[in-house]
Amino acid sequence: MPDNHYDAIVVGSGISGGWAAKELTEKGLKVLLLERGRNIEHVKDYHNAHKEAWDYPHRNEPTQEMIAKHPVLRRDYPLNEATMGMWADEQANPYVEEKRFDWFRGYHVGGRSLLWGRQSYRLSPMDFEANQREGIAIDWPIRYEDIAPWYDYVERFAGIAGTQEGLDILPDGEFLPPIPLNCVEKDAAKRIKAAFGGQRHLIHSRVANITQPKPEQNRVNCQYRNKCWLGCPYGAYFSTQSATLPAAVATGNLTLRPFSIVSQVLYDKDRQRARGVEVIDAETHEVHEYTADVIFLNASTFNTTWILMNSATDVWEGGLGSSSGELGHNVMDHHFRCGASGEVEGYLDKYYFGRRPAGFYIPRFRNVGDEQRNYVRGFGYQGAASREGWDREIAELNIGTDLKQALSQPGGWTIGMTGFGEMLPDHDNRISLDHSVRDKWGLPVLSIDVELKQNERDMRRDMVQDAVDLLEAAGVKNVTGDVGDYAPGMGIHEMGTARMGRDPKTSVLNSHNQVWDAPNVFVTDGACMTSSSCVNPSLTYMALTARAVDYAVEELKWGNLS
């Protein structure tokens, strides 16, 4: 057997790619894990994990040079000194915006599993049924019951802190003890429940931060530092580096190759199977081929689809998986940046411990049951209450000893929340290859043509007004509705473009995440999503990946993928 052959190849080492590598190696397969960016080793390479704002030359603010070099990153929080170099450089990795799309990528081992917000919720039975019920796009080929055992499985390993709530719209899971609500949030929860007859709920965030040690994974419980995006040296939050990669390495079956840009899947049209991948060395630009019996594409939604579009173009003009005409279409994100905030009177004798990496969550309540708004689907809220700190403005005390004394004490309480709304799949929201623009390696780039449609615009009005109503019901004062700058992509939850379905004429993947046109190619990152729900999607990627690997290995045993 040549040195470049493996039982399985996994492309991408982020949340879903890490899971694919773990599951495949633990089932005895020899696996090559390919990552287009640099390696980041757990703990050793978390260079900023213990720094505070004053430890950076510019107090963790972007410089004018950074702003000039990174016109996309500058649009939101990713551009700062602490995470500089963690987000993909748009100079080396450009893309074309037919309409504004803020694409924030993580090109390194671990991908955005090192940078994610860790909010971890299950899709509900309603989410898997909504497309069919409402006649939108196509039906999911699976139901909640198909994925529920896999949610259990990945939650137990990853470690999700949360509470059992018994809500149909937000299924419970296998939880560790929650990160507690503070005193203001607890009282707000009681008042909201009473004001809305138990139909609206403020609950603990469900986050992938362990609250009890996992010694079998060498992970220590959360230290309440709230520096997760800098890499956690305690392994307290779930990432490829802290959890799935060590498990895969422990098997002795993994080969990790960073700086490896997959340019295409190599397709054997006689066998109607993929035989491997072509790789460009990101440092030397040398081209290599690696072969395998099964391939998992987990390069993140758009990059996975880019690979498919750039593959087997001698067979399908639109690339591998394009026979349905849906490859690249149905882009979704979660639209947000609208909610409310206000001031909370009292509680001045109360404080809280540490810097929580979580807050509260208000599950979807719109278009549930018999209610029907002037839009379909709904939204949830993420938020928190806290006391103002030393950086608050004190207009009447602006200099000298009095100012120093005032700033040594915490200020009043505030509370705020932002809605995350579901974006419907729409064929017109699409990505495509633009061969007139090339990246650093001479490869064509993606052109992105995505916008919010009327359903999302109508929903956003409720997202603001309902937030105001909720906070006022909780007794919050001086409540103001907030509408911030939002463009698709800012949610960093890009989904769709290679959707699952029941029919190869209308979908790219089947119910087991196999590409219809090449059954030994699996896609289990965000590209596979048939609809988006309104909850954070990463937990679903994990569950779908574990489920697909289990199926793929059985199919390999029976010789159905060769």
Side-chain angles (χ1 to χ4, degrees):
M1 182 179 295
D3 293 339
N4 67 343
H5 183 82
Y6 296 83
D7 297 324
I9 292 173
V10 178
V11 181
S13 61
I15 281 178
S16 63
W19 267 100
K22 170 189 176 295
E23 295 298 301
L24 288 163
T25 55
E26 288 185 340
K27 292 179 184 297
L29 276 66
K30 297 293 184 182
V31 176
L32 174 64
L33 177 58
L34 297 169
E35 169 54 53
R36 66 178 294 149
R38 65 189 173 104
N39 191 14
I40 294 179
E41 293 190 34
H42 187 43
V43 183
K44 182 175 79 72
D45 290 333
Y46 301 158
H47 301 300
N48 294 333
H50 296 288
K51 288 184 179 180
E52 298 292 345
W54 49 82
D55 293 318
Y56 299 96
H58 304 94
R59 301 299 185 263
N60 200 27
E61 295 294 326
T63 65
Q64 292 304 306
E65 180 182 9
M66 290 164 62
I67 291 171
K69 283 185 175 180
H70 303 285
V72 176
L73 291 178
R74 68 178 289 183
R75 298 173 185 173
D76 205 358
Y77 72 90
L79 189 60
N80 56 69
E81 290 182 292
T83 58
M84 197 63 228
M86 292 288 283
W87 298 97
D89 179 1
E90 61 260 47
Q91 301 295 319
N93 305 277
Y95 64 101
V96 176
E97 295 176 274
E98 295 187 38
K99 298 182 179 72
R100 178 182 165 185
F101 192 96
D102 297 359
W103 190 17
F104 303 137
R105 299 158 282 173
Y107 290 168
H108 49 258
V109 171
R112 289 179 299 193
S113 79
L114 288 176
L115 298 160
W116 68 311
R118 306 166 312 286
Q119 299 279 320
S120 301
Y121 305 98
R122 298 184 179 201
L123 271 65
S124 72
M126 180 184 292
D127 292 320
F128 288 100
E129 299 163 2
N131 278 4
Q132 182 188 51
R133 184 176 62 251
E134 297 163 357
I136 292 172
I138 62 169
D139 187 19
W140 277 88
I142 60 174
R143 289 293 184 260
Y144 178 76
E145 292 73 19
D146 297 310
I147 195 174
W150 297 102
Y151 277 134
D152 291 346
Y153 178 74
V154 299
E155 285 166 344
R156 286 193 293 267
F157 180 84
I160 309 299
T163 52
Q164 304 286 332
E165 299 290 341
L167 304 175
D168 292 339
I169 197 65
L170 193 72
D172 291 330
E174 301 281 328
F175 297 139
L176 297 172
I179 293 175
L181 299 174
N182 61 40
C183 57
V184 169
E185 294 163 351
K186 289 177 181 177
D187 284 353
K190 294 175 184 176
R191 290 169 181 163
I192 287 171
K193 186 174 183 179
F196 295 98
Q199 299 303 304
R200 301 185 188 183
H201 306 268
L202 187 156
I203 67 174
H204 300 75
S205 293
R206 294 175 178 176
V207 289
N209 291 73
I210 59 174
T211 51
Q212 294 176 340
K214 283 185 170 287
E216 73 281 5
Q217 296 181 25
N218 198 30
R219 296 170 62 194
V220 179
N221 53 287
C222 182
Q223 303 296 298
Y224 287 19
R225 301 166 67 244
N226 197 26
K227 294 179 179 291
C228 309
W229 60 93
L230 303 180
C232 181
Y234 304 93
Y237 77 86
F238 173 84
S239 68
T240 296
Q241 274 82 345
S242 70
T244 50
L245 185 58
V249 169
T251 67
N253 292 328
L254 184 73
T255 300
L256 171 64
R257 193 184 196 280
F259 294 113
S260 299
I261 301 172
V262 175
S263 57
Q264 63 176 306
V265 173
L266 301 172
Y267 182 72
D268 185 333
K269 56 186 173 183
D270 294 326
R271 295 173 47 244
Q272 298 183 343
R273 299 287 189 273
R275 62 180 182 86
V277 297
E278 180 182 86
V279 169
I280 298 174
D281 188 295
E283 296 179 301
T284 68
H285 292 228
E286 294 176 342
V287 178
H288 305 274
E289 289 188 3
Y290 298 93
T291 60
D293 301 320
V294 64
I295 297 168
F296 271 72
L297 295 182
N298 300 91
S300 82
T301 296
F302 288 177
N303 285 318
T304 284
T305 302
W306 182 97
I307 292 169
L308 290 171
M309 288 177 168
N310 206 48
S311 304
T313 53
D314 59 330
V315 181
W316 299 278
E317 183 180 357
L320 181 62
S322 67
S323 61
S324 66
E326 294 298 332
L327 184 66
H329 293 271
N330 310 295
V331 174
M332 297 168 285
D333 184 29
H334 286 136
H335 60 100
F336 72 131
R337 287 296 183 90
C338 51
S341 59
E343 301 169 359
V344 180
E345 293 180 343
Y347 302 93
L348 296 182
D349 60 339
K350 306 292 184 183
Y351 204 67
Y352 41 81
F353 170 77
R355 303 170 180 169
R356 297 177 305 166
F360 63 76
Y361 186 69
I362 297 178
R364 173 184 164 185
F365 51 82
R366 285 302 185 193
N367 291 324
V368 176
D370 295 331
E371 184 194 53
Q372 181 58 59
R373 309 294 289 177
N374 66 331
Y375 54 86
V376 298
R377 313 295 166 90
F379 50 87
Y381 291 104
Q382 297 175 27
S386 62
R387 292 193 72 172
E388 294 178 311
W390 60 269
D391 56 347
R392 68 190 186 276
E393 294 183 11
I394 305 178
E396 67 275 16
L397 297 172
N398 57 18
I399 193 169
T401 304
D402 289 341
L403 174 65
K404 293 179 180 179
Q405 179 66 30
L407 294 184
S408 70
Q409 302 296 323
W413 287 85
T414 62
I415 187 170
M417 58 189 184
T418 187
F420 283 74
E422 178 164 357
M423 185 173 176
L424 295 179
D426 189 296
H427 185 80
D428 291 339
N429 282 333
R430 64 188 292 261
I431 60 175
S432 57
L433 293 186
D434 188 330
H435 291 273
S436 68
V437 181
R438 302 278 168 161
D439 67 11
K440 179 180 178 181
W441 298 272
L443 298 168
V445 305
L446 283 176
S447 177
I448 304 177
D449 184 1
V450 178
E451 65 181 357
L452 292 186
K453 304 297 185 181
Q454 190 62 48
N455 194 74
E456 289 83 42
R457 292 194 291 269
D458 289 341
M459 186 187 299
R460 291 175 72 78
R461 287 191 283 270
D462 266 7
M463 290 165 71
V464 175
Q465 187 57 53
D466 285 349
V468 171
D469 294 345
L470 285 161
L471 291 183
E472 289 181 343
V476 179
K477 306 299 182 182
N478 300 320
V479 177
T480 57
D482 304 320
V483 180
D485 175 48
Y486 170 79
M490 292 185 80
I492 321 184
H493 293 166
E494 63 269 18
M495 290 172 272
T497 67
R499 67 186 180 190
M500 299 171 69
R502 300 178 184 273
D503 186 341
K505 295 179 181 179
T506 59
S507 59
V508 179
L509 311 173
N510 69 10
S511 63
H512 295 286
N513 298 79
Q514 291 171 282
V515 176
W516 290 108
D517 298 334
N520 63 334
V521 178
F522 291 76
V523 174
T524 63
D525 59 18
C528 77
M529 298 289 280
T530 311
S531 65
S532 65
S533 178
C534 66
V535 299
N536 301 57
S538 295
L539 187 70
T540 299
Y541 305 164
M542 298 185 210
L544 287 172
T545 301
R547 177 177 179 268
V549 168
D550 187 68
Y551 177 81
V553 172
E554 285 301 309
E555 289 292 281
L556 279 172
K557 290 178 181 177
W558 288 103
N560 294 334
L561 301 183
S562 58

